Amino acid sequence: AMANRAHVELVLGQIAREAKADDRLAVFLIGHGSFDGEEYKMNVPGPDIRASDFAAWLNRVPSRRQLVVDMTSASGGIVSALERPDRAVISATKSGSEKNLTVFPRYWVDALRDESADTYKNHVISALEAFRYAERRTAQFYESGKRLATEHPEIAGGERGSLLASQFPLVNLSAQGPANPAKAKLLAHKQELESKIDELKLKKATIPEADYRNELAALLLDLART
């Protein structure tokens, strides 16, 4: 059943009270959205949920790493309200003017259960990998039917947005097989090192070149050993 505005606010309020800074928050929006040229709204029973509502509720959550995937029609209209340095925002459309029903959601769900989405072959499907999978399948849907594409999925923030999405794991494929504590420990350390490397890349412009190279070399050596 589709939740109303009060219910969504209640749930996100509870998360804001319970979440910690080191937690990851992922929010997926599926349904129908609209854009009047000024403001995006997600259409729900009763009062609609405005982009500014989502922004206010999410900003109260202390989790530093956040992912919002808005898969509704006109979802590109929510991006400007939600963009933040530590929040990856994915939309099914490139703007609020793409108002047709979206097919992106079905392929996003497929990405989370299809091992071929793990293009980096590290046993984890990240938000970036899921996005690329769903983006490709969405384009193929329109091409195969010789239809005019009415949606163009995007990650906000360009290169930085893509980097944030690559740091956000969604599915751990290794956890789906037989338990192997030693392997699990190594995989966890590998993922931790990869995350540190990504974070270092984000800081490259703010630290001396020599320090950057030394830190990167140390992390890459540890990663190679692992």
Side-chain angles (χ1 to χ4, degrees), residues 113-128:
R113 55 191 180 192
D114 187 342
E115 291 188 15
S116 70
D118 177 23
T119 54
Y120 293 143
K121 304 305 177 188
N122 61 351
H123 306 288
V124 173
I125 298 175
S126 69
L128 179 62

Side-chain angles (χ1 to χ4, degrees), residues 148-209:
L148 177 66
T150 56
E151 61 189 283
H152 299 83
E154 288 196 349
I155 297 181
E159 183 178 350
R160 182 180 180 85
S162 295
L163 187 53
L164 287 171
S166 73
Q167 295 176 329
F168 206 104
L170 294 175
V171 179
N172 187 343
L173 298 173
S174 63
Q176 299 174 4
N180 184 330
K183 183 179 179 181
K185 184 177 180 180
L186 285 171
L187 283 170
H189 186 54
K190 177 175 179 287
Q191 292 164 19
E192 179 186 2
L193 289 170
E194 290 170 338
S195 179
K196 287 182 177 179
I197 289 170
D198 287 336
E199 290 174 1
L200 180 62
K201 289 177 181 178
L202 285 175
K203 297 190 297 184
K204 182 179 180 181
T206 64
I207 60 179
E209 179 70 17

